[in-house]
């Protein structure tokens, strides 16, 4: 007879990618989880996870099974959960969120504080934006995606949250701050660009080119936080969401300034898979995101 606990263990192993991580997730010991992995391997006649250097990587068979196993475990868990919304104070769950690095600078801190104050047993896991545009929502690897949603699959639920402006960031002693940001000064300044793919050209460059100007991008990085550090330490200019107040730029030794271009506002939304429509914990999480972005002065929130 098949032990259905093996499905729970397999889901944890494939999600965590390690015996120790799966053991911690299921509140068991690493040796016990290692023995369970042995049983799963014998049941499937497949190694499931194999060592690659210091890490474990899933086999093709494991990758094939991952989404189906996760869905079965989620469905089985839902059968044993009473209907209705949970009390936040007793809610003990881990939510996987995916948001762009730029948006996290405005969202992460207030969301963590709000969730921690109301639901101290909830853990927020922010996943890298390399998952953007993948099937992670459909497969259940991401509970909620927040950002510019322009790649959603047809069944995905998408809710507009609001719009925000993009501004420039530079040190307080930078000429764009002390003397003002004209088009020429902005183009001639040394810029740090943010691109996961290392692109040197973006929409702002197109707007400048239409005016016969060219931006001096001297470096690109994949992380918005790294760009802010380069702006502070290297005297470069970077782009960022308009802050609600001056506290965050000041803490970084930076000052926000208006970019002398007619830039479109950035439309921010959140997306989730319809399997999570009726989940009380997921609904509560979405409420927290709405409230946090409504309170962020940098965003004009969308009506529901």
């Amino acid at each position: 007879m098949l032990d259905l606990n093996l499905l729970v263990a397999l889901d944890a192993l494939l999600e965590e990618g390690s015996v120790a991580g799966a053991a911690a997730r299921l509140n068991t010991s690493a040796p016990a989880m290692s023995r369970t992995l042995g049983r799963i391997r014998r049941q499937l006649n497949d190694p499931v996870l194999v060592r690659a250097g210091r890490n474990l990587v899933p086999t093709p068979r494991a990758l094939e099974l991952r989404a189906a196993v996760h869905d079965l475990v989620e469905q089985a868990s839902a059968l044993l959960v009473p209907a209705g919304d949970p009390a936040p104070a007793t809610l003990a769950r881990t939510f996987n969120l995916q948001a762009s690095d730029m948006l996290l600078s405005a969202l992460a801190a207030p969301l963590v504080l709000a969730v921690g104050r109301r639901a101290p047993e909830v853990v927020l896991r922010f996943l890298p934006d390399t998952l953007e545009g993948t099937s992670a929502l459909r497969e259940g690897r991401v509970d909620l995606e927040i950002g510019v949603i322009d790649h959603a699959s047809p069944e995905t639920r998408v809710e507009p949250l609001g719009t925000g402006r993009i501004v420039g960031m530079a040190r307080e002693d930078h000429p764009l701050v002390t003397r003002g940001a004209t088009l020429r000064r902005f183009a001639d300044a040394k810029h740090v660009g943010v691109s996961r793919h290392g692109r040197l050209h973006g929409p702002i460059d197109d707007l400048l080119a239409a005016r016969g100007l060219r931006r001096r991008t001297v470096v690109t990085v994949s992380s918005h936080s790294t760009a802010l550090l380069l702006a502070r330490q290297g005297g470069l200019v970077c782009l960022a969401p308009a802050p609600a107040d001056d506290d965050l730029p000041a803490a970084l030794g930076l000052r926000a300034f208006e970019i002398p271009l007619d830039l479109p506002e950035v439309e921010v939304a959140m997306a989730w898979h319809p399997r999570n429509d009726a989940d009380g914990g997921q609904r509560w999480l979405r409420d927290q995101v709405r409230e946090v972005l409504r309170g962020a002065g940098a965003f004009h929130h969308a009506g529901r």
Side-chain angles (χ1 to χ4, degrees):
M1 181 180 295
L2 174 64
D3 183 353
L4 293 181
N5 287 323
L6 294 182
L7 285 176
V8 177
L10 178 57
D11 181 52
L13 285 162
L14 295 179
E15 284 286 303
E16 299 295 334
S18 76
V19 170
R25 179 169 170 172
L26 298 181
N27 296 315
T28 188
S29 67
M33 182 55 65
S34 182
R35 291 192 294 271
T36 301
L37 175 58
R39 292 178 59 198
I40 293 171
R41 284 168 167 165
R42 290 191 293 273
Q43 181 72 38
L44 294 176
N45 193 27
D46 186 272
V48 182
L49 292 170
V50 296
R51 188 159 297 281
R54 296 183 178 180
N55 301 315
L56 292 176
V57 296
T59 64
R61 175 65 171 153
L63 290 174
E64 179 185 342
L65 291 172
R66 180 162 59 186
V69 168
H70 186 77
D71 281 349
L72 283 171
V73 171
E74 287 283 302
Q75 292 169 21
S77 299
L79 289 174
L80 302 177
V81 175
D85 292 343
T90 61
L91 183 61
R93 289 180 58 178
T94 297
F95 294 109
N96 296 322
L97 298 92
Q98 188 268 306
S100 69
D101 185 53
M102 180 178 283
L103 183 61
L104 280 179
S105 65
L107 173 70
L111 183 60
V112 168
L113 289 173
V115 169
R117 185 168 59 250
R118 296 160 185 166
E121 297 302 315
V122 164
V123 175
L124 300 180
R125 179 187 290 170
F126 289 100
L127 302 176
D129 57 6
T130 52
L131 291 175
E132 185 178 307
T134 70
S135 57
L137 275 177
R138 177 182 294 169
E139 295 171 358
R141 290 183 288 147
V142 170
D143 295 307
L144 193 63
E145 182 177 348
I146 312 165
V148 179
I149 311 296
D150 55 5
H151 49 263
S153 56
E155 77 272 16
T156 301
R157 304 281 196 262
V158 178
E159 178 184 322
L161 293 171
T163 58
R165 298 183 303 112
I166 297 297
V167 298
M169 285 280 185
R171 286 196 323 211
E172 295 182 349
D173 59 354
H174 195 284
L176 288 178
V177 174
T178 59
R179 297 175 59 193
T182 65
L183 268 178
R184 173 65 65 180
R185 289 174 188 158
F186 178 74
D188 288 346
K190 294 181 179 180
H191 291 254
V192 51
V194 180
S195 170
R196 293 203 313 267
H197 306 291
R199 296 191 181 100
L200 293 169
H201 195 93
I204 281 186
D205 299 284
D206 294 332
L207 292 173
L208 287 171
R211 291 161 176 78
L213 297 172
R214 182 177 179 182
R215 186 167 59 138
R216 294 181 63 196
T217 300
V218 299
V219 60
T220 64
V221 295
S222 60
S223 162
H224 178 63
S225 55
T226 302
L228 290 172
L229 290 175
L230 282 172
R232 182 184 71 179
Q233 297 172 352
L236 304 180
V237 174
C238 72
L239 308 180
D245 52 49
D246 291 331
D247 290 347
L248 178 59
L252 296 172
L254 300 173
R255 180 77 63 84
F257 65 87
E258 295 294 329
I259 299 171
L261 288 167
D262 186 17
L263 299 177
E265 290 193 324
V266 177
E267 297 182 356
V268 178
M270 63 179 170
W272 64 94
H273 194 273
R275 75 164 70 88
N276 296 322
D277 273 346
D279 182 277
Q282 296 264 356
R283 288 202 304 267
W284 179 83
L285 175 65
R286 297 194 291 271
D287 286 341
Q288 306 314 299
V289 172
R290 292 187 195 100
E291 183 175 330
V292 164
L293 284 181
R294 188 178 299 125
F299 294 93
H300 306 292
H301 67 87
R304 291 191 63 198

